[in-house]
Amino acid sequence: MTDFEKQARELVDKMTLEEKASQLNFDAPAIPRLGIPRYHWWNEALHGLARAGTATMFPQSIALAAMFDTEEMEKIGDIISTEARAKYNAYSSEDDRDIYKGLTLWSPNVNIFRDPRWGRGHETYGEDPYLTSRLGVAFIKGIQGDGKYLKAAACAKHFAVHSGPEELRHEFDAVVSDKDLWETYLPAFQACVEEAGVEGVMGAYNRTNGEPCCGSKLLMKDILRGKWDFQGYFTSDCWAIKDFHENHHVTDTATESAALALKMGCDINCGNTYLKVMQAYQEGLVTEEDITEAAIRVMRTRFKLGLFADDCEYDKISYEEVACKKHRQAAIQAAERSVVLLKNDGILPLKKDMEKLAVIGPNADSRWPLIGNYHGTAPRYVTVLEGIEMVAEDIRIHYSEGCHTMKDRVEELALPGDRLSEAVYAAKEAKTAVVCLGLDERYEGEQHDVGNRIDETSMADKPTTALPDSQLHLLKALIETGVDLIVVNMTGSAVELKWLQDTPNVKAILQGWYPGAEGGLAIARILFGEVNPSGKLPVTFYASSEGMLPITDYSMKGRTYRYMESKPMYPFGYGLSYTRFAYSDLKTETAEGGVKITVTVENTGAVDGDEVTEVYIKDIKSPFEVRNHHLAAFKRFHVKAGEKQTIELLIPQKQFMVVNDQGERIKDGTEFAVYVGGTQPDARSEELTGQRPLETVIQY
């Protein structure tokens, strides 16, 4: 086993103090006399390599979460790291070591999507700590590989208690109880560190309980490196350290900010505040040992990546791997597995011998909603319109943009609603319309710097969960025609769809997410029955945003399926299929590491399909249990029409524990309700599906 720690220490020992300090900047300069090339730490890979040219573009993270598939997540991580190596090998051979071209991939985002208005929620794996942890661990394992060296270095972000508001993130203090901290906001990070061995952790912009997250004794020293024994490198979010003195006002100068971050264990500064590290040393705010230990940690990561080795097994990965057909097909398959069928009055799947079809809406023929944010450049894009034309080439398509995504007109000189008559006529002409609505990265995403705003309508967080007025006007006009409508909603978050669920001529609703570069083909295949939809919601779709707590309130009261008190529109874990699955013969037994669940699942319909079995539990007696119930296991599998399968799942021992008011995870009861099926055990899921999960009570 290579001693990367020893190698790092020996190399750092040869550096001057100034050279050590220089290596703590995200754009680390070369040290030619020691054979150290320049290295840029910042690279992105949420759903494919971003911002450095061509790469395979998978569906956005929230869509990947809808697959409920750890095996597929690991494969996707592996494909991304293969392309990262291929591009790194190519770029470095040209001595191109620019930003977004290194092997330290600042993904995944394992923050909890607790509020549907948060703009960056689509970067996450949804609202559930257990689902997020399982998918995060799988993705990291795929990224990092299991070789002598790291294939690439994953980074869990943003540590911790970070999920909006975007416009206040540089000054905001996320105040959270000990229970919510350890029950909701930390479990995914803990799993990424302790189970996946994630190489990097990135701090958040905000403060948590008064301390800036990139300079927090509680988060960085006591928890991350203390309780969890994290051995990797810690990086700030970009320009977060300057917030210490400019916005959080916990320090007075940039020098003091650099010292605070370094003292708390921040190794890499994404930004320029660490240019003050040597001044902090001269003023006695940091020691030579502080600088040296940080330098050792960052050089250790570079050694673990094999960047100074002659025998790294990944140096021979060819550029032929980048966006190859095999990888792109995997991205299309992921999109097919991620789409969630929310409503179907029997209209889907569509018949390929239909004469005409209207395809309408601002997201029908736009690349914007395919890719989400933090994206690269795909070699090919397929919009929903293009996908339909590919799948059903003999159907006469009447296309209309219908409206602008956000503005009240498409053409600036026209009157408001300038595409409505075209859309209405196209729908009447075809008698059936696929209506593609939603948002894209311009309208839900990261805080925009003023100079980077797309236009006057661009935004980060959403003020409401309602669709934009322009799209509501379009929908109402189309509904008034009485034509059969199939709505494809392409958003990275929950929006209000209740009125569409209740509208008779809205015959079907698909949640298409941001499905990746060629995701329009996946959606078309589902519309025409070439693929059976199988995605499940990783977030709750609320009836409306009325009555929600302010986004600045980090209490979990009333939030997400675990604590909500109102009736959801579409529950977490919900998703329909073109077939039906029946559950029977539920058995439980104590096993090593937890409780083993055995259940029989039968496909009672006429179409082959994937099912996701979901297991929820509730400690019946403990006052510290979540208000409702919590996901404790899940498994995705394929069942042919008319066939049965016996499925085994393990509920981990940790899932039978609760978190008390002091933040301690304890065993507090012996009697547990266990629910096994294709949905949550809630009344709304039963109302929508006509089925209820199997239920039993066990002693454990």
Side-chain angles (χ1 to χ4, degrees), residues 36 149 257 647 699:
I36 300 172
Y149 298 100
S257 296
I647 304 302
Q699 302 291 322

Side-chain angles (χ1 to χ4, degrees), residues 247-450:
N247 297 306
H248 296 311
H249 303 297
V250 297
T251 56
D252 293 324
T253 66
T255 305
E256 290 177 1
S257 296
L260 175 59
L262 189 62
K263 280 286 190 184
M264 290 303 112
C266 182
D267 305 310
I268 292 292
N269 170 211
C270 184
N272 56 14
T273 310
Y274 269 17
L275 297 177
K276 298 289 188 179
V277 164
M278 285 305 298
Q279 185 173 333
Y281 168 73
Q282 291 160 3
E283 293 181 11
L285 300 177
V286 299
T287 65
E288 181 172 355
E289 183 182 10
D290 294 329
I291 298 170
T292 299
E293 288 304 309
I296 289 168
R297 285 195 288 266
V298 302
M299 297 312 296
R300 182 176 60 198
T301 295
R302 291 175 70 175
F303 273 106
K304 289 174 76 172
L305 285 164
L307 301 188
F308 304 109
D310 295 326
D311 64 339
C312 181
E313 62 263 48
Y314 306 119
D315 287 348
K316 295 178 182 176
I317 293 179
S318 167
Y319 194 76
E320 293 298 315
E321 299 283 352
V322 176
C324 63
K325 286 186 178 180
K326 181 181 177 182
H327 292 176
R328 287 164 50 199
Q329 184 54 46
I332 295 170
Q333 178 178 285
E336 292 170 353
R337 295 182 176 189
S338 73
V339 172
V340 184
L341 180 60
L342 299 175
K343 176 184 180 180
N344 186 18
D345 285 353
I347 194 170
L348 295 180
L350 295 171
K351 302 292 189 292
K352 290 185 181 179
D353 61 357
M354 62 193 304
E355 183 182 351
K356 299 177 182 179
L357 179 68
V359 180
I360 298 169
N363 280 357
D365 195 33
S366 171
R367 289 183 176 184
W368 279 107
L370 297 177
I371 51 180
N373 67 354
Y374 284 95
H375 58 80
T377 302
R380 183 191 193 205
Y381 296 85
V382 180
T383 66
V384 176
L385 174 63
E386 291 167 338
I388 290 172
E389 289 174 333
M390 291 165 65
V391 169
E393 56 188 358
D394 293 331
I395 297 175
R396 173 67 166 99
I397 304 295
H398 293 287
Y399 165 67
S400 172
E401 186 177 358
C403 66
H404 186 275
T405 306
M406 192 70 66
K407 298 178 182 179
D408 67 358
R409 70 203 77 187
V410 174
E411 296 293 339
E412 290 186 10
L413 298 181
L415 294 172
D418 58 333
R419 291 290 183 270
L420 284 180
S421 62
E422 178 187 59
V424 166
Y425 196 88
K428 289 178 178 177
E429 181 73 12
K431 304 295 191 294
T432 304
V434 173
V435 188
C436 300
L437 306 169
L439 302 168
D440 57 55
E441 68 162 323
R442 298 170 295 177
Y443 308 114
E444 57 174 349
E446 195 164 358
Q447 179 194 37
H448 296 291
D449 295 328
V450 173

Side-chain angles (χ1 to χ4, degrees), residues 71 77 81 84 161 212 253 285 315 345 349 386 634-635 654 687:
E71 290 183 7
S81 61
V161 195
T253 66
L285 300 177
D315 287 348
D345 285 353
E386 291 167 338
F634 60 90
K635 187 172 186 176
K654 192 173 185 179
E687 181 182 334

Side-chain angles (χ1 to χ4, degrees), residues 78-96:
D78 180 61
I79 288 172
I80 291 171
S81 61
T82 294
E83 295 196 6
R85 275 287 175 175
K87 290 170 78 72
Y88 176 81
N89 293 342
Y91 291 146
S92 59
S93 73
E94 301 292 330
D95 199 30
D96 182 357

